[in-house]
Short mmCIF file of all heavy atoms in Angstrom, two decimals:
data_model
loop_
_atom_site.label_atom_id
_atom_site.label_comp_id
_atom_site.label_asym_id
_atom_site.label_seq_id
_atom_site.Cartn_x
_atom_site.Cartn_y
_atom_site.Cartn_z
N SER A 603 2.09 -8.72 -7.61
CA SER A 603 3.51 -8.95 -7.94
C SER A 603 3.69 -10.30 -8.62
O SER A 603 4.49 -10.45 -9.54
CB SER A 603 4.37 -8.93 -6.66
OG SER A 603 4.44 -7.65 -6.14
N ILE A 604 2.94 -11.30 -8.14
CA ILE A 604 3.12 -12.68 -8.63
C ILE A 604 2.60 -12.82 -10.07
O ILE A 604 3.25 -13.42 -10.92
CB ILE A 604 2.35 -13.67 -7.72
CG1 ILE A 604 3.01 -13.73 -6.34
CG2 ILE A 604 2.27 -15.05 -8.35
CD1 ILE A 604 2.09 -14.31 -5.27
N LEU A 605 1.43 -12.25 -10.32
CA LEU A 605 0.82 -12.43 -11.65
C LEU A 605 1.22 -11.33 -12.64
O LEU A 605 1.06 -11.49 -13.84
CB LEU A 605 -0.71 -12.51 -11.53
CG LEU A 605 -1.24 -13.67 -10.67
CD1 LEU A 605 -2.76 -13.64 -10.60
CD2 LEU A 605 -0.77 -15.02 -11.21
N GLY A 606 1.71 -10.20 -12.10
CA GLY A 606 2.16 -9.12 -12.99
C GLY A 606 3.56 -9.38 -13.46
O GLY A 606 4.49 -8.61 -13.19
N ARG A 607 3.74 -10.49 -14.16
CA ARG A 607 5.09 -10.93 -14.55
C ARG A 607 5.47 -10.33 -15.89
O ARG A 607 5.31 -10.96 -16.94
CB ARG A 607 5.16 -12.44 -14.58
CG ARG A 607 5.01 -13.04 -13.21
CD ARG A 607 5.13 -14.54 -13.27
NE ARG A 607 6.47 -14.93 -13.70
CZ ARG A 607 6.74 -16.11 -14.24
NH1 ARG A 607 5.81 -16.97 -14.45
NH2 ARG A 607 7.99 -16.40 -14.59
N THR A 608 5.98 -9.13 -15.85
CA THR A 608 6.35 -8.45 -17.08
C THR A 608 7.80 -8.78 -17.45
O THR A 608 8.54 -9.33 -16.64
CB THR A 608 6.22 -6.93 -16.88
OG1 THR A 608 6.95 -6.58 -15.70
CG2 THR A 608 4.76 -6.54 -16.68
N SER A 609 8.19 -8.39 -18.64
CA SER A 609 9.58 -8.62 -19.06
C SER A 609 10.48 -7.47 -18.65
O SER A 609 11.70 -7.58 -18.69
CB SER A 609 9.64 -8.84 -20.57
OG SER A 609 9.13 -10.11 -20.88
N LEU A 610 9.88 -6.33 -18.30
CA LEU A 610 10.66 -5.21 -17.79
C LEU A 610 10.28 -4.99 -16.33
O LEU A 610 9.09 -5.00 -16.00
CB LEU A 610 10.39 -3.94 -18.60
CG LEU A 610 10.76 -3.99 -20.09
CD1 LEU A 610 10.48 -2.63 -20.74
CD2 LEU A 610 12.23 -4.35 -20.28
N GLN A 611 11.26 -4.76 -15.49
CA GLN A 611 10.94 -4.69 -14.06
C GLN A 611 10.42 -3.32 -13.62
O GLN A 611 9.76 -3.22 -12.60
CB GLN A 611 12.14 -5.11 -13.22
CG GLN A 611 13.34 -4.20 -13.29
CD GLN A 611 13.27 -3.03 -12.36
OE1 GLN A 611 12.75 -3.15 -11.26
NE2 GLN A 611 13.79 -1.90 -12.79
N THR A 612 10.69 -2.28 -14.41
CA THR A 612 10.22 -0.94 -14.01
C THR A 612 8.70 -0.89 -13.89
O THR A 612 8.16 -0.03 -13.21
CB THR A 612 10.63 0.10 -15.08
OG1 THR A 612 11.89 -0.26 -15.60
CG2 THR A 612 10.68 1.48 -14.52
N ILE A 613 8.03 -1.79 -14.57
CA ILE A 613 6.56 -1.77 -14.61
C ILE A 613 5.97 -3.08 -14.08
O ILE A 613 4.80 -3.38 -14.30
CB ILE A 613 6.08 -1.53 -16.05
CG1 ILE A 613 6.87 -2.43 -16.99
CG2 ILE A 613 6.21 -0.08 -16.45
CD1 ILE A 613 6.24 -2.63 -18.29
N ALA A 614 6.79 -3.88 -13.38
CA ALA A 614 6.31 -5.20 -12.93
C ALA A 614 5.35 -5.08 -11.75
O ALA A 614 5.55 -4.25 -10.86
CB ALA A 614 7.50 -6.06 -12.53
N GLY A 615 4.32 -5.89 -11.75
CA GLY A 615 3.43 -6.05 -10.59
C GLY A 615 2.95 -4.75 -9.99
O GLY A 615 2.29 -3.95 -10.65
N THR A 616 3.31 -4.53 -8.74
CA THR A 616 2.81 -3.36 -8.02
C THR A 616 3.48 -2.05 -8.47
O THR A 616 3.12 -0.99 -7.98
CB THR A 616 3.06 -3.51 -6.51
OG1 THR A 616 4.43 -3.81 -6.32
CG2 THR A 616 2.22 -4.62 -5.93
N ARG A 617 4.45 -2.13 -9.38
CA ARG A 617 5.09 -0.89 -9.84
C ARG A 617 4.23 -0.25 -10.92
O ARG A 617 4.61 -0.11 -12.08
CB ARG A 617 6.50 -1.19 -10.34
CG ARG A 617 7.40 -1.46 -9.17
CD ARG A 617 8.82 -1.74 -9.51
NE ARG A 617 9.58 -1.85 -8.26
CZ ARG A 617 10.80 -2.29 -8.15
NH1 ARG A 617 11.45 -2.66 -9.21
NH2 ARG A 617 11.39 -2.35 -6.98
N CYS A 618 3.05 0.11 -10.50
CA CYS A 618 2.10 0.72 -11.42
C CYS A 618 1.77 2.12 -10.90
O CYS A 618 2.34 2.55 -9.90
CB CYS A 618 0.84 -0.14 -11.50
SG CYS A 618 0.07 -0.38 -9.91
N ALA A 619 0.81 2.78 -11.54
CA ALA A 619 0.45 4.14 -11.11
C ALA A 619 -0.06 4.13 -9.67
O ALA A 619 -0.68 3.16 -9.22
CB ALA A 619 -0.63 4.68 -12.03
N ALA A 620 0.21 5.24 -8.96
CA ALA A 620 -0.16 5.32 -7.54
C ALA A 620 -1.66 5.14 -7.33
O ALA A 620 -2.09 4.59 -6.32
CB ALA A 620 0.28 6.67 -6.98
N ASP A 621 -2.47 5.57 -8.30
CA ASP A 621 -3.92 5.45 -8.09
C ASP A 621 -4.49 4.13 -8.61
O ASP A 621 -5.68 3.99 -8.80
CB ASP A 621 -4.68 6.65 -8.68
CG ASP A 621 -4.32 6.93 -10.12
OD1 ASP A 621 -3.57 6.14 -10.70
OD2 ASP A 621 -4.79 7.94 -10.67
N PHE A 622 -3.60 3.16 -8.85
CA PHE A 622 -4.07 1.84 -9.27
C PHE A 622 -3.51 0.75 -8.34
O PHE A 622 -3.97 -0.38 -8.36
CB PHE A 622 -3.59 1.58 -10.71
CG PHE A 622 -4.45 0.64 -11.51
CD1 PHE A 622 -5.83 0.84 -11.60
CD2 PHE A 622 -3.90 -0.43 -12.19
CE1 PHE A 622 -6.62 -0.02 -12.35
CE2 PHE A 622 -4.69 -1.29 -12.94
CZ PHE A 622 -6.05 -1.09 -13.02
N ALA A 623 -2.55 1.15 -7.50
CA ALA A 623 -1.77 0.16 -6.74
C ALA A 623 -2.58 -0.57 -5.67
O ALA A 623 -2.28 -1.71 -5.33
CB ALA A 623 -0.56 0.84 -6.11
N GLU A 624 -3.61 0.08 -5.12
CA GLU A 624 -4.36 -0.56 -4.03
C GLU A 624 -5.56 -1.36 -4.53
O GLU A 624 -6.24 -2.00 -3.73
CB GLU A 624 -4.83 0.49 -3.03
CG GLU A 624 -3.71 1.13 -2.21
CD GLU A 624 -3.03 0.17 -1.25
OE1 GLU A 624 -3.67 -0.79 -0.79
OE2 GLU A 624 -1.84 0.36 -0.97
N LEU A 625 -5.80 -1.34 -5.83
CA LEU A 625 -6.98 -2.07 -6.33
C LEU A 625 -6.94 -3.56 -6.00
O LEU A 625 -7.89 -4.09 -5.41
CB LEU A 625 -7.13 -1.84 -7.85
CG LEU A 625 -8.13 -2.76 -8.56
CD1 LEU A 625 -9.54 -2.55 -8.03
CD2 LEU A 625 -8.09 -2.53 -10.07
N PRO A 626 -5.85 -4.29 -6.34
CA PRO A 626 -5.87 -5.74 -6.06
C PRO A 626 -5.99 -6.06 -4.58
O PRO A 626 -6.61 -7.05 -4.20
CB PRO A 626 -4.52 -6.22 -6.62
CG PRO A 626 -4.10 -5.16 -7.58
CD PRO A 626 -4.62 -3.87 -7.03
N SER A 627 -5.41 -5.21 -3.73
CA SER A 627 -5.42 -5.52 -2.30
C SER A 627 -6.78 -5.21 -1.67
O SER A 627 -7.28 -5.98 -0.85
CB SER A 627 -4.31 -4.74 -1.59
OG SER A 627 -4.40 -3.38 -1.90
N ILE A 628 -7.40 -4.10 -2.07
CA ILE A 628 -8.72 -3.79 -1.52
C ILE A 628 -9.73 -4.83 -2.01
O ILE A 628 -10.61 -5.27 -1.27
CB ILE A 628 -9.16 -2.36 -1.91
CG1 ILE A 628 -8.20 -1.34 -1.29
CG2 ILE A 628 -10.59 -2.07 -1.45
CD1 ILE A 628 -8.40 0.08 -1.76
N LEU A 629 -9.57 -5.24 -3.25
CA LEU A 629 -10.47 -6.28 -3.79
C LEU A 629 -10.38 -7.56 -2.95
O LEU A 629 -11.40 -8.19 -2.64
CB LEU A 629 -10.11 -6.57 -5.25
CG LEU A 629 -10.96 -7.62 -5.95
CD1 LEU A 629 -12.41 -7.19 -6.06
CD2 LEU A 629 -10.40 -7.92 -7.35
N MET A 630 -9.17 -7.92 -2.55
CA MET A 630 -9.00 -9.15 -1.76
C MET A 630 -9.75 -9.07 -0.43
O MET A 630 -10.14 -10.10 0.13
CB MET A 630 -7.51 -9.41 -1.50
CG MET A 630 -6.81 -10.16 -2.60
SD MET A 630 -7.48 -11.82 -2.87
CE MET A 630 -6.85 -12.66 -1.43
N GLU A 631 -9.94 -7.88 0.10
CA GLU A 631 -10.67 -7.75 1.37
C GLU A 631 -12.10 -8.28 1.23
O GLU A 631 -12.67 -8.81 2.17
CB GLU A 631 -10.70 -6.29 1.82
CG GLU A 631 -9.33 -5.73 2.16
CD GLU A 631 -9.39 -4.26 2.54
OE1 GLU A 631 -10.46 -3.79 2.95
OE2 GLU A 631 -8.36 -3.58 2.40
N TYR A 632 -12.67 -8.13 0.03
CA TYR A 632 -14.03 -8.62 -0.18
C TYR A 632 -14.11 -10.15 -0.06
O TYR A 632 -15.13 -10.70 0.33
CB TYR A 632 -14.55 -8.19 -1.55
CG TYR A 632 -14.99 -6.75 -1.60
CD1 TYR A 632 -14.13 -5.74 -2.02
CD2 TYR A 632 -16.28 -6.39 -1.22
CE1 TYR A 632 -14.53 -4.42 -2.06
CE2 TYR A 632 -16.69 -5.06 -1.26
CZ TYR A 632 -15.81 -4.09 -1.68
OH TYR A 632 -16.21 -2.78 -1.72
N PHE A 633 -13.01 -10.81 -0.45
CA PHE A 633 -13.01 -12.27 -0.40
C PHE A 633 -12.92 -12.80 1.03
O PHE A 633 -13.43 -13.87 1.32
CB PHE A 633 -11.83 -12.83 -1.22
CG PHE A 633 -12.01 -12.68 -2.71
CD1 PHE A 633 -11.56 -11.55 -3.38
CD2 PHE A 633 -12.63 -13.68 -3.44
CE1 PHE A 633 -11.74 -11.42 -4.75
CE2 PHE A 633 -12.80 -13.56 -4.81
CZ PHE A 633 -12.35 -12.42 -5.47
N ALA A 634 -12.24 -12.04 1.89
CA ALA A 634 -11.87 -12.57 3.21
C ALA A 634 -13.05 -13.13 3.98
O ALA A 634 -12.96 -14.21 4.56
CB ALA A 634 -11.18 -11.47 4.02
#
Side-chain angles (χ1 to χ4, degrees):
S603 291
I604 292 162
L605 299 179
R607 293 182 65 202
T608 53
S609 287
L610 297 182
Q611 66 84 35
T612 324
I613 46 161
T616 53
R617 287 181 175 169
C618 58
D621 52 5
F622 207 51
E624 291 293 332
L625 168 62
S627 52
I628 296 172
L629 180 63
M630 274 298 287
E631 295 177 23
Y632 282 94
F633 288 90

